[in-house]
Amino acid sequence: MKHTTLIAVSVAALALAGCKKEAPAGDAMATSAATDSTIPGVTPAAEVQRSPSQVFADTAAASDAFEIATSQLATDKASSAKVKTFAQQMIKAHTESSKKLESAATSATPKIVPDAAMTAQQRQVLSDLQGKSGAEFDKAYAAAQVDAHQSTLNALKAYATGGDVAGLKRASPPK
């Protein structure tokens, strides 16, 4: 896969990471009602079925969080100047595109609020990277970036083909 494609996909995917909005701190009723299964008529959050757009947004946001976290780690731990430069480019590109995709997600009806929580596998890879150094880190970071970008590219292409929110589809790569 070409370097520019990886960057473009990363930029598009990371844009969703900035879309997460927190509930107001004083909105304890909404928070407890959403998580309390003893309230009649309230479905626990874990049981709520997510729309394809929400699934896409969550997948992209988690990927973004992972790529930013690993790139921030690389700016400190990489031994190669090229790897450090690439990591800085990834952070900058993902930050810029998150602003663009934020408006696409927030304009959706119903509103889409991506969950940027990393998957167990992403957390494990990040943890593994934290234990590496030198050339071993550089190699593992590069492999993690390629894997993350490919996974996100697959999700973006699938959503561009079958997604139901026009703004998010336009933010996805072409078919």
Side-chain angles (χ1 to χ4, degrees):
M1 180 182 294
K2 293 183 180 178
H3 177 74
T4 55
T5 302
L6 286 175
I7 291 173
V9 169
S10 299
V11 168
L14 244 171
L16 289 173
C19 297
K20 186 171 183 175
K21 303 280 189 235
E22 297 296 326
D27 197 3
M29 180 63 173
T31 302
S32 74
T35 58
D36 188 349
S37 62
T38 62
I39 299 174
V42 175
T43 303
E47 295 178 24
V48 174
Q49 186 166 5
R50 299 178 302 154
S51 71
S53 295
Q54 186 66 58
V55 171
F56 167 73
D58 292 350
T59 299
S63 177
D64 295 341
F66 171 78
E67 292 176 42
I68 288 173
T70 57
S71 293
Q72 288 171 334
L73 189 61
T75 63
D76 292 332
K77 294 187 68 113
S79 62
S80 164
K82 288 182 181 182
V83 171
K84 286 184 179 200
T85 299
F86 176 77
Q88 291 168 342
Q89 291 171 345
M90 288 292 93
I91 294 167
K92 180 181 177 189
H94 288 288
T95 300
E96 290 173 0
S97 71
S98 72
K99 294 174 186 174
K100 293 176 185 175
L101 281 177
E102 181 176 353
S103 55
T106 58
S107 67
T109 304
K111 184 178 177 183
I112 296 171
V113 180
D115 180 358
M118 286 186 240
T119 66
Q121 181 181 6
Q122 290 166 327
R123 289 189 309 270
Q124 182 61 52
V125 171
L126 179 60
S127 178
D128 291 347
L129 283 171
Q130 290 168 335
K132 296 184 184 312
S133 61
E136 181 185 28
F137 174 88
D138 293 357
K139 183 177 178 180
Y141 167 72
Q145 287 295 303
V146 169
D147 290 347
H149 284 101
Q150 187 60 55
S151 177
T152 302
L153 177 61
N154 293 344
L156 289 166
K157 284 181 177 179
Y159 191 79
T161 301
D164 60 347
V165 175
L168 290 177
K169 286 175 75 166
R170 284 191 298 273
S172 300
K175 299 175 190 173

